[in-house]
Amino acid sequence: VAKKLSEKQVEVSFVFPDNAIGKNWEVNLEQFNVKYVDFNNSVFFLNTVKKLVTDNCIIHTHFLNEKSFLKLGLGINKFGFKNVNFVYHEHMVPSIELKYKIIGYSGDIILRNSYYIGVSPAVKKELEKLHFNNRTFLLTNGIDIKRLNFEENKTHKNNNILIFASAYYRKGTDLA
């Protein structure tokens, strides 16, 4: 997505946690504005993101908990940017405890421009219990298996097991 947006002259920036420094990514990030920040320091994190935000932008999050997402949205909105959309990309079935329902619905009311993506039908179904349904979408993980050679990786004559992720039950992607 970042590559396609860049081809259309859309500025793309990434903000990663400090522990992502030096990690190998599938995409070459050298052409993008990349920042590393301590996600546990909410003031420093917010100030880093604030420097990247402009009017009419999208903030798409991964692996950020609901409370941090709400704090990020509130923090960015108080700076007066116009038309900033917040996308919360959820990879796991979220907890639907009462406190998370309160945070979720509060976020929907306060951040009127927030949207929630579930990566499987199971994750989307649970997100709908935490957010207004018209803001919840399904976007299944795009899995590219072109580089996987089943013949070279076959260890038993008739057994191929393919698991994408270590928490496949929580992601709702279990195949067996």
mmCIF file of all heavy atoms in Angstrom, residues 109-133:
data_model
loop_
_atom_site.group_PDB
_atom_site.id
_atom_site.type_symbol
_atom_site.label_atom_id
_atom_site.label_comp_id
_atom_site.label_asym_id
_atom_site.label_seq_id
_atom_site.Cartn_x
_atom_site.Cartn_y
_atom_site.Cartn_z
ATOM 1 N N ILE A 109 -17.495 7.759 19.814
ATOM 2 C CA ILE A 109 -18.220 9.023 20.010
ATOM 3 C C ILE A 109 -17.258 10.208 19.920
ATOM 4 O O ILE A 109 -17.539 11.202 19.255
ATOM 5 C CB ILE A 109 -18.956 9.006 21.362
ATOM 6 C CG1 ILE A 109 -20.099 7.971 21.308
ATOM 7 C CG2 ILE A 109 -19.491 10.390 21.713
ATOM 8 C CD1 ILE A 109 -20.680 7.613 22.658
ATOM 9 N N ILE A 110 -16.104 10.083 20.570
ATOM 10 C CA ILE A 110 -15.136 11.183 20.604
ATOM 11 C C ILE A 110 -14.399 11.317 19.276
ATOM 12 O O ILE A 110 -14.222 12.410 18.762
ATOM 13 C CB ILE A 110 -14.133 10.977 21.763
ATOM 14 C CG1 ILE A 110 -14.887 11.046 23.104
ATOM 15 C CG2 ILE A 110 -13.019 12.008 21.714
ATOM 16 C CD1 ILE A 110 -14.081 10.547 24.283
ATOM 17 N N LEU A 111 -13.963 10.193 18.723
ATOM 18 C CA LEU A 111 -13.237 10.193 17.444
ATOM 19 C C LEU A 111 -14.222 9.799 16.344
ATOM 20 O O LEU A 111 -14.258 8.663 15.902
ATOM 21 C CB LEU A 111 -12.073 9.197 17.474
ATOM 22 C CG LEU A 111 -11.005 9.409 18.529
ATOM 23 C CD1 LEU A 111 -9.965 8.304 18.457
ATOM 24 C CD2 LEU A 111 -10.358 10.770 18.364
ATOM 25 N N ARG A 112 -14.993 10.740 15.902
ATOM 26 C CA ARG A 112 -16.026 10.454 14.897
ATOM 27 C C ARG A 112 -15.431 9.968 13.580
ATOM 28 O O ARG A 112 -16.114 9.390 12.755
ATOM 29 C CB ARG A 112 -16.879 11.687 14.662
ATOM 30 C CG ARG A 112 -17.655 12.102 15.890
ATOM 31 C CD ARG A 112 -18.600 13.247 15.586
ATOM 32 N NE ARG A 112 -19.227 13.733 16.789
ATOM 33 C CZ ARG A 112 -20.285 13.183 17.348
ATOM 34 N NH1 ARG A 112 -20.833 12.126 16.824
ATOM 35 N NH2 ARG A 112 -20.795 13.694 18.447
ATOM 36 N N ASN A 113 -14.172 10.180 13.410
ATOM 37 C CA ASN A 113 -13.487 9.788 12.182
ATOM 38 C C ASN A 113 -12.558 8.594 12.434
ATOM 39 O O ASN A 113 -11.424 8.565 11.995
ATOM 40 C CB ASN A 113 -12.717 10.970 11.604
ATOM 41 C CG ASN A 113 -11.876 11.669 12.666
ATOM 42 O OD1 ASN A 113 -12.026 11.404 13.857
ATOM 43 N ND2 ASN A 113 -10.989 12.543 12.255
ATOM 44 N N SER A 114 -13.064 7.603 13.177
ATOM 45 C CA SER A 114 -12.268 6.413 13.453
ATOM 46 C C SER A 114 -12.937 5.194 12.818
ATOM 47 O O SER A 114 -14.163 5.092 12.779
ATOM 48 C CB SER A 114 -12.101 6.197 14.962
ATOM 49 O OG SER A 114 -13.357 6.069 15.593
ATOM 50 N N TYR A 115 -12.089 4.282 12.316
ATOM 51 C CA TYR A 115 -12.564 3.084 11.625
ATOM 52 C C TYR A 115 -11.753 1.896 12.118
ATOM 53 O O TYR A 115 -10.598 2.040 12.515
ATOM 54 C CB TYR A 115 -12.409 3.255 10.108
ATOM 55 C CG TYR A 115 -13.121 4.494 9.630
ATOM 56 C CD1 TYR A 115 -12.448 5.706 9.527
ATOM 57 C CD2 TYR A 115 -14.470 4.467 9.351
ATOM 58 C CE1 TYR A 115 -13.096 6.864 9.130
ATOM 59 C CE2 TYR A 115 -15.141 5.622 8.953
ATOM 60 C CZ TYR A 115 -14.447 6.809 8.852
ATOM 61 O OH TYR A 115 -15.106 7.954 8.475
ATOM 62 N N TYR A 116 -12.348 0.709 12.066
ATOM 63 C CA TYR A 116 -11.741 -0.471 12.664
ATOM 64 C C TYR A 116 -11.734 -1.611 11.653
ATOM 65 O O TYR A 116 -12.756 -1.929 11.053
ATOM 66 C CB TYR A 116 -12.492 -0.862 13.934
ATOM 67 C CG TYR A 116 -12.556 0.306 14.884
ATOM 68 C CD1 TYR A 116 -13.567 1.261 14.780
ATOM 69 C CD2 TYR A 116 -11.557 0.510 15.825
ATOM 70 C CE1 TYR A 116 -13.597 2.374 15.614
ATOM 71 C CE2 TYR A 116 -11.589 1.618 16.660
ATOM 72 C CZ TYR A 116 -12.605 2.540 16.546
ATOM 73 O OH TYR A 116 -12.626 3.635 17.351
ATOM 74 N N ILE A 117 -10.566 -2.225 11.477
ATOM 75 C CA ILE A 117 -10.395 -3.312 10.520
ATOM 76 C C ILE A 117 -10.088 -4.588 11.283
ATOM 77 O O ILE A 117 -9.171 -4.635 12.100
ATOM 78 C CB ILE A 117 -9.234 -3.011 9.550
ATOM 79 C CG1 ILE A 117 -9.574 -1.801 8.684
ATOM 80 C CG2 ILE A 117 -8.922 -4.235 8.688
ATOM 81 C CD1 ILE A 117 -8.419 -1.346 7.811
ATOM 82 N N GLY A 118 -10.831 -5.637 10.981
ATOM 83 C CA GLY A 118 -10.547 -6.979 11.488
ATOM 84 C C GLY A 118 -9.945 -7.797 10.366
ATOM 85 O O GLY A 118 -10.372 -7.686 9.214
ATOM 86 N N VAL A 119 -8.945 -8.633 10.671
ATOM 87 C CA VAL A 119 -8.237 -9.377 9.632
ATOM 88 C C VAL A 119 -8.872 -10.729 9.331
ATOM 89 O O VAL A 119 -8.391 -11.449 8.468
ATOM 90 C CB VAL A 119 -6.743 -9.561 9.991
ATOM 91 C CG1 VAL A 119 -6.035 -8.231 10.097
ATOM 92 C CG2 VAL A 119 -6.597 -10.393 11.256
ATOM 93 N N SER A 120 -9.927 -11.068 10.040
ATOM 94 C CA SER A 120 -10.647 -12.309 9.779
ATOM 95 C C SER A 120 -12.103 -12.081 10.195
ATOM 96 O O SER A 120 -12.395 -11.145 10.959
ATOM 97 C CB SER A 120 -10.044 -13.466 10.585
ATOM 98 O OG SER A 120 -10.336 -13.300 11.961
ATOM 99 N N PRO A 121 -13.020 -12.919 9.723
ATOM 100 C CA PRO A 121 -14.420 -12.765 10.147
ATOM 101 C C PRO A 121 -14.587 -12.829 11.663
ATOM 102 O O PRO A 121 -15.392 -12.097 12.234
ATOM 103 C CB PRO A 121 -15.130 -13.930 9.451
ATOM 104 C CG PRO A 121 -14.305 -14.183 8.222
ATOM 105 C CD PRO A 121 -12.880 -13.926 8.664
ATOM 106 N N ALA A 122 -13.793 -13.680 12.326
ATOM 107 C CA ALA A 122 -13.896 -13.792 13.790
ATOM 108 C C ALA A 122 -13.471 -12.505 14.485
ATOM 109 O O ALA A 122 -14.109 -12.060 15.442
ATOM 110 C CB ALA A 122 -13.044 -14.966 14.283
ATOM 111 N N VAL A 123 -12.395 -11.883 14.009
ATOM 112 C CA VAL A 123 -11.919 -10.633 14.612
ATOM 113 C C VAL A 123 -12.924 -9.517 14.346
ATOM 114 O O VAL A 123 -13.269 -8.750 15.250
ATOM 115 C CB VAL A 123 -10.515 -10.252 14.073
ATOM 116 C CG1 VAL A 123 -10.105 -8.873 14.565
ATOM 117 C CG2 VAL A 123 -9.486 -11.291 14.507
ATOM 118 N N LYS A 124 -13.450 -9.442 13.139
ATOM 119 C CA LYS A 124 -14.441 -8.405 12.814
ATOM 120 C C LYS A 124 -15.688 -8.550 13.686
ATOM 121 O O LYS A 124 -16.216 -7.573 14.205
ATOM 122 C CB LYS A 124 -14.833 -8.467 11.340
ATOM 123 C CG LYS A 124 -15.865 -7.404 10.961
ATOM 124 C CD LYS A 124 -16.322 -7.550 9.529
ATOM 125 C CE LYS A 124 -17.279 -6.454 9.122
ATOM 126 N NZ LYS A 124 -18.623 -6.613 9.619
ATOM 127 N N LYS A 125 -16.136 -9.781 13.865
ATOM 128 C CA LYS A 125 -17.328 -10.038 14.687
ATOM 129 C C LYS A 125 -17.138 -9.514 16.110
ATOM 130 O O LYS A 125 -18.034 -8.893 16.684
ATOM 131 C CB LYS A 125 -17.625 -11.537 14.704
ATOM 132 C CG LYS A 125 -18.842 -11.924 15.492
ATOM 133 C CD LYS A 125 -19.048 -13.431 15.441
ATOM 134 C CE LYS A 125 -20.193 -13.840 16.333
ATOM 135 N NZ LYS A 125 -20.363 -15.294 16.368
ATOM 136 N N GLU A 126 -15.961 -9.724 16.666
ATOM 137 C CA GLU A 126 -15.698 -9.247 18.032
ATOM 138 C C GLU A 126 -15.521 -7.728 18.059
ATOM 139 O O GLU A 126 -15.933 -7.071 19.010
ATOM 140 C CB GLU A 126 -14.477 -9.954 18.615
ATOM 141 C CG GLU A 126 -14.679 -11.446 18.809
ATOM 142 C CD GLU A 126 -15.896 -11.794 19.665
ATOM 143 O OE1 GLU A 126 -16.018 -11.278 20.790
ATOM 144 O OE2 GLU A 126 -16.734 -12.585 19.183
ATOM 145 N N LEU A 127 -14.911 -7.152 17.023
ATOM 146 C CA LEU A 127 -14.784 -5.695 16.954
ATOM 147 C C LEU A 127 -16.157 -5.029 16.927
ATOM 148 O O LEU A 127 -16.348 -3.955 17.486
ATOM 149 C CB LEU A 127 -13.986 -5.270 15.716
ATOM 150 C CG LEU A 127 -12.471 -5.345 15.813
ATOM 151 C CD1 LEU A 127 -11.844 -5.072 14.447
ATOM 152 C CD2 LEU A 127 -11.931 -4.380 16.850
ATOM 153 N N GLU A 128 -17.119 -5.687 16.273
ATOM 154 C CA GLU A 128 -18.477 -5.142 16.207
ATOM 155 C C GLU A 128 -19.135 -5.071 17.583
ATOM 156 O O GLU A 128 -20.064 -4.306 17.784
ATOM 157 C CB GLU A 128 -19.329 -5.959 15.245
ATOM 158 C CG GLU A 128 -18.934 -5.733 13.801
ATOM 159 C CD GLU A 128 -19.646 -6.643 12.826
ATOM 160 O OE1 GLU A 128 -20.186 -7.697 13.243
ATOM 161 O OE2 GLU A 128 -19.661 -6.315 11.629
ATOM 162 N N LYS A 129 -18.644 -5.851 18.523
ATOM 163 C CA LYS A 129 -19.166 -5.805 19.896
ATOM 164 C C LYS A 129 -18.574 -4.633 20.674
ATOM 165 O O LYS A 129 -19.063 -4.287 21.738
ATOM 166 C CB LYS A 129 -18.869 -7.115 20.627
ATOM 167 C CG LYS A 129 -19.581 -8.305 20.025
ATOM 168 C CD LYS A 129 -19.172 -9.581 20.726
ATOM 169 C CE LYS A 129 -19.817 -10.789 20.068
ATOM 170 N NZ LYS A 129 -19.361 -12.050 20.685
ATOM 171 N N LEU A 130 -17.505 -4.039 20.136
ATOM 172 C CA LEU A 130 -16.808 -2.936 20.802
ATOM 173 C C LEU A 130 -17.027 -1.588 20.123
ATOM 174 O O LEU A 130 -16.696 -0.551 20.687
ATOM 175 C CB LEU A 130 -15.300 -3.202 20.843
ATOM 176 C CG LEU A 130 -14.837 -4.416 21.629
ATOM 177 C CD1 LEU A 130 -13.354 -4.651 21.405
ATOM 178 C CD2 LEU A 130 -15.123 -4.250 23.098
ATOM 179 N N HIS A 131 -17.536 -1.608 18.899
ATOM 180 C CA HIS A 131 -17.649 -0.380 18.104
ATOM 181 C C HIS A 131 -18.946 -0.383 17.315
ATOM 182 O O HIS A 131 -19.546 -1.430 17.097
ATOM 183 C CB HIS A 131 -16.462 -0.253 17.143
ATOM 184 C CG HIS A 131 -15.158 -0.225 17.833
ATOM 185 N ND1 HIS A 131 -14.687 0.884 18.497
ATOM 186 C CD2 HIS A 131 -14.226 -1.188 18.004
ATOM 187 C CE1 HIS A 131 -13.526 0.608 19.038
ATOM 188 N NE2 HIS A 131 -13.216 -0.638 18.754
ATOM 189 N N PHE A 132 -19.329 0.778 16.854
ATOM 190 C CA PHE A 132 -20.497 0.884 15.994
ATOM 191 C C PHE A 132 -20.220 0.124 14.695
ATOM 192 O O PHE A 132 -19.149 0.262 14.104
ATOM 193 C CB PHE A 132 -20.833 2.344 15.693
ATOM 194 C CG PHE A 132 -21.159 3.143 16.929
ATOM 195 C CD1 PHE A 132 -20.458 4.293 17.235
ATOM 196 C CD2 PHE A 132 -22.169 2.734 17.793
ATOM 197 C CE1 PHE A 132 -20.748 5.031 18.371
ATOM 198 C CE2 PHE A 132 -22.467 3.472 18.931
ATOM 199 C CZ PHE A 132 -21.759 4.614 19.224
ATOM 200 N N ASN A 133 -21.176 -0.672 14.245
ATOM 201 C CA ASN A 133 -20.968 -1.549 13.090
ATOM 202 C C ASN A 133 -20.607 -0.816 11.807
ATOM 203 O O ASN A 133 -19.896 -1.349 10.968
ATOM 204 C CB ASN A 133 -22.212 -2.401 12.835
ATOM 205 C CG ASN A 133 -22.403 -3.451 13.913
ATOM 206 O OD1 ASN A 133 -21.518 -3.677 14.728
ATOM 207 N ND2 ASN A 133 -23.548 -4.083 13.924
#
